[in-house]
Amino acid sequence: MANRTLKDAKNIHGTNPQYLIEKIIRSRIYDSQYWKESCFALTAELMVDKAMELRFLGGVFGGNIKPTPFICLVLKFLQIQPEKDIVIEFIKNEEFKYVRALGAFYLRLTASAVDCYKYLEPLYNDYRKLRRQNRMGHYEIVHMDEFIDELLREERVCDVILPRIQKRCVLEESGELDPKVSLLDDDLDQEMMTDDEENEKVSEPPKHTSSKHTSSSDHRRRSRSRSTSREKYKKSKDRKRNESPLRKKYKEERRDRKRSPNRDRRRSRSRSNERSRNYDDRYHKRDRSYERDRRRY
């Protein structure tokens, strides 16, 4: 009796609401300790307290397919089938993030496509972190907007196959939904305005000045360049005059050495002499080693 759906409950998508969760998972939930202890004789009012105690999301985990408290409360929601206003209040709750996630998951299972887009899309602006337990029993971090995106796009979330809903573009064409308005549109418009202003400033032609002003500025530049070149020439002349006679003599000798034709000849001769010496030394060593081996044997 405790696992039966209420008599006043309506069929959802043409079936019993509890049948939206697969039979294997449903039987595991009925056998779990959390279902027997915490979910017995729960009402819509008491569901709020249990939802506030949630600390993570998830479906089933482990080799024995153990259910999480989150999926147990989802099944209890389907069993008692609370009113739509209560579910919307769950979604609008900003203080407890797992209460909001529970309401969003139940609404995605039971509501129509128009209601899903209407009440779940505003939750894209919620960036709070959620802890989710995967199939291996490990915890991972998921943000609220990612969880909502999975509910609207994926086929299976928290090990539950979600009912199919129509795409948003089809509902917009039929007039059942207004076109989607993103909060980023205002920021993009401001950026476009600033870019256009910068481009206008760059594309503006430079202001034309009078011919007299330009001619005077050119004359000043030329006079400055001439004065700097004259100063450089004077400094180089002064350096040459102030050089000592010994330094002049050293420069002249160095110049003559570079120009002398015998320099290359001396270099080539020295290199050939070195080669011949190395050759002789090598053969001399070889002869000595040959004589030494001969004496031994």
Side-chain angles (χ1 to χ4, degrees):
M1 296 292 291
N3 299 333
R4 289 183 180 179
T5 309
L6 295 179
K7 294 181 180 180
D8 299 335
K10 299 178 182 178
N11 289 343
I12 297 174
H13 303 294
T15 58
N16 189 342
Q18 291 194 74
Y19 292 169
L20 295 174
I21 296 177
E22 297 174 3
K23 185 178 180 180
I24 298 173
I25 299 175
R26 198 166 65 244
S27 61
R28 294 291 182 180
I29 292 171
Y30 293 152
D31 296 336
S32 65
Q33 187 176 0
Y34 185 83
W35 177 266
K36 293 175 181 178
E37 292 180 357
S38 301
C39 298
F40 180 76
L42 275 181
T43 60
E45 297 174 356
L46 298 175
M47 282 285 291
V48 179
D49 298 332
K50 294 297 179 182
M52 289 167 60
E53 295 175 0
L54 288 175
R55 292 296 176 265
F56 59 92
L57 306 176
V60 293
F61 65 95
N64 298 328
I65 312 180
K66 297 178 182 179
T68 59
F70 180 81
I71 199 70
C72 291
L73 292 179
V74 171
L75 183 61
K76 194 66 182 178
F77 251 124
L78 293 171
Q79 186 180 3
I80 62 177
Q81 204 176 42
E83 295 179 0
K84 186 178 179 181
D85 297 336
I86 296 174
V87 179
I88 292 170
E89 288 299 323
F90 269 66
I91 294 171
K92 291 181 178 180
N93 192 338
E94 297 181 356
E95 187 176 357
F96 299 97
K97 52 188 178 182
Y98 293 105
V99 174
R100 171 175 281 186
L102 181 65
F105 193 85
Y106 175 76
L107 185 76
R108 174 64 181 83
L109 285 174
T110 58
S112 61
V114 177
D115 290 336
C116 288
Y117 287 112
K118 182 179 179 181
Y119 293 108
L120 296 185
E121 279 186 346
L123 302 183
Y124 277 132
N125 303 322
D126 191 352
Y127 307 111
R128 288 180 291 182
K129 294 180 180 179
L130 300 171
R131 189 187 296 110
R132 182 166 64 183
Q133 192 176 27
N134 57 19
R135 197 67 184 261
M136 299 301 293
H138 303 297
Y139 293 100
E140 56 188 13
I141 297 298
V142 181
H143 294 82
M144 179 67 78
D145 58 336
E146 294 176 356
F147 181 68
I148 298 300
D149 190 64
E150 290 178 1
L151 291 177
L152 293 176
R153 295 176 184 272
E154 301 295 333
E155 294 181 356
R156 182 185 286 269
V157 179
C158 295
D159 300 310
V160 177
I161 298 174
L162 302 176
R164 292 186 178 180
I165 56 174
Q166 288 180 319
K167 292 185 178 180
R168 184 181 176 83
C169 59
V170 177
L171 297 174
E172 287 180 2
E173 289 177 359
S174 62
E176 296 181 16
L177 276 179
D178 296 332
K180 186 177 179 180
V181 179
S182 177
L183 293 176
L184 299 176
D185 291 342
D186 297 335
D187 297 335
L188 292 173
D189 293 338
Q190 291 179 0
E191 289 182 1
M192 291 290 290
M193 291 289 289
T194 53
D195 293 338
D196 294 338
E197 290 177 358
E198 290 177 359
N199 292 329
E200 288 177 359
K201 289 180 181 178
V202 171
S203 61
E204 282 182 359
K207 295 180 179 179
H208 296 286
T209 56
S210 61
S211 59
K212 291 182 180 180
H213 184 70
T214 53
S215 61
S216 62
S217 62
D218 294 337
H219 182 69
R220 288 173 187 172
R221 288 174 188 170
R222 289 173 188 171
S223 61
R224 285 175 187 170
S225 61
R226 287 173 186 171
S227 62
T228 51
S229 60
R230 286 173 186 171
E231 288 176 359
K232 288 180 181 179
Y233 181 70
K234 286 181 181 179
K235 285 181 181 179
S236 61
K237 270 194 169 185
D238 294 337
R239 284 176 187 170
K240 290 180 181 179
R241 287 174 186 171
N242 296 329
E243 280 183 352
S244 62
L246 291 173
R247 187 167 182 79
K248 288 181 181 179
K249 190 176 180 181
Y250 175 73
K251 283 185 177 181
E252 290 175 357
E253 288 177 356
R254 195 173 179 184
R255 198 182 303 123
D256 296 336
R257 282 177 193 168
K258 288 181 180 179
R259 292 176 182 175
S260 63
N262 297 326
R263 188 180 180 192
D264 297 332
R265 293 177 186 175
R266 289 172 189 169
R267 282 185 178 178
S268 62
R269 285 175 187 173
S270 62
R271 287 175 183 171
S272 61
N273 291 332
E274 287 178 0
R275 288 173 187 170
S276 61
R277 284 174 193 168
N278 294 332
Y279 185 77
D280 294 339
D281 292 339
R282 187 172 60 189
Y283 277 90
H284 182 64
K285 288 178 182 178
R286 191 180 70 179
D287 295 338
R288 286 177 65 186
S289 63
Y290 178 73
E291 289 176 2
R292 192 185 306 134
D293 295 337
R294 197 173 173 188
R295 286 172 189 172
R296 285 180 184 175
Y297 299 105

